Amino acid sequence: MRDALLHPEDPLQSVPTAARKPAERITVFIADDHPAIGLALSYGLQAHHISVIGRATAPEEVLDHVKALKPDVIVLDVRFGRETANTGIDVARQLLHDDPRRGVVIYSQFDTVEIIQEAYRTGIHAFVPKCAPLDLMATAIEHAHSNRVYFVPEVAERLAMVNIAGDRSPQALLEPRELEVFRYIAIGLTSNEIAEEMSLSPKTVSNVRQSVLEKLKADRQADITLLAVEHGLISPVPFSHARHQAN
């Protein structure tokens, strides 16, 4: 639910609807499963001529709120906890499918190169790590409002390094079937369980599994799981939930 009424001093309450001048200020909607983060951004962005006009804590709430409020820019977290399989990137993809001109910024602590690349491929305007200074978030929002792509310096540097050194991620090294098997291995499924999930023979899965391990130069379960988490292929959640997530 929108949490605009959490605090009397909430900046969402401090600017009456009649007094807002959208032509003068950029309006923003924030979706983050941590209400305190949305509230902090609401306060901080006021100094940058940006008004937060609504917030949500679940991805399923975003589309309806955006349709009703019509913000200039939508700011989305990537992960929304264990209660939903949807991500901010999923929401961004739907928002931009509905309106390719819509301003979208991803704001997340999950900032692996793979997640950043996937986000930009959806058509977002900027990816801002949560450790970045607030003025960079304001700059990203301004670019999104003007339909311009923006790269925070830290993000630009990391993407450049991948281009220079070459992408050694599972996503780059593995074929689609191998990547799917890798995800199942990472959450602890046996070859027989993977075969059942993918409707393949155990022998086929065994062969694919061997190819995956050779390409990634990994053989311990802990290393495989860590690699999958680091590259955004599974979430760092309890084992039983991770198994469910891959289905």
Side-chain angles (χ1 to χ4, degrees), residues 127-185:
F127 188 109
V128 182
K130 285 187 175 177
C131 60
L134 186 63
D135 62 336
L136 292 184
M137 169 57 87
T139 300
I141 290 172
E142 291 165 358
H143 276 69
H145 182 232
S146 301
N147 198 26
R148 292 177 293 153
V149 176
Y150 175 68
F151 293 90
V152 171
E154 174 190 339
V155 168
E157 181 179 348
R158 293 177 64 184
L159 293 176
M161 289 304 298
V162 168
N163 288 333
I164 292 171
D167 191 347
R168 304 295 299 171
S169 69
Q171 291 94 322
L173 294 174
L174 302 178
E175 298 297 326
R177 177 185 283 185
E178 292 174 333
L179 189 62
E180 187 174 2
V181 169
F182 171 70
R183 290 181 68 246
Y184 282 126
I185 295 172

Side-chain angles (χ1 to χ4, degrees), residues 207-241:
N207 291 337
V208 175
R209 183 187 188 112
Q210 185 61 36
S211 176
V212 166
L213 300 182
E214 289 175 358
K215 287 183 178 181
L216 298 179
K217 295 180 172 56
D219 51 12
R220 293 194 312 153
Q221 179 67 46
D223 293 336
I224 293 168
T225 300
L226 180 59
L227 190 62
V229 171
E230 287 177 342
H231 290 279
L233 290 167
I234 63 173
S235 297
V237 296
F239 181 78
S240 61
H241 179 70

Side-chain angles (χ1 to χ4, degrees), residues 60 67 99 118:
E60 294 80 8
K67 184 177 180 180
D99 183 359
E118 181 184 1

Side-chain angles (χ1 to χ4, degrees), residues 78-79 87-90 92-93 96 106 112-124 127 159 171 231-233:
V78 171
R79 306 289 190 194
T87 69
I89 295 176
D90 295 327
R93 189 175 289 110
L96 292 165
I106 296 291
T112 66
V113 168
E114 293 73 31
I115 290 177
I116 294 170
Q117 290 174 327
E118 181 184 1
Y120 275 106
R121 288 187 190 113
T122 67
I124 68 162
F127 188 109
L159 293 176
Q171 291 94 322
H231 290 279
L233 290 167

Side-chain angles (χ1 to χ4, degrees), residues 56-79:
T57 56
E60 294 80 8
E61 302 170 0
V62 175
L63 296 181
D64 287 342
H65 281 310
V66 167
K67 184 177 180 180
L69 296 171
K70 296 180 173 56
D72 297 318
V73 177
I74 301 96
V75 175
L76 302 165
D77 194 359
V78 171
R79 306 289 190 194

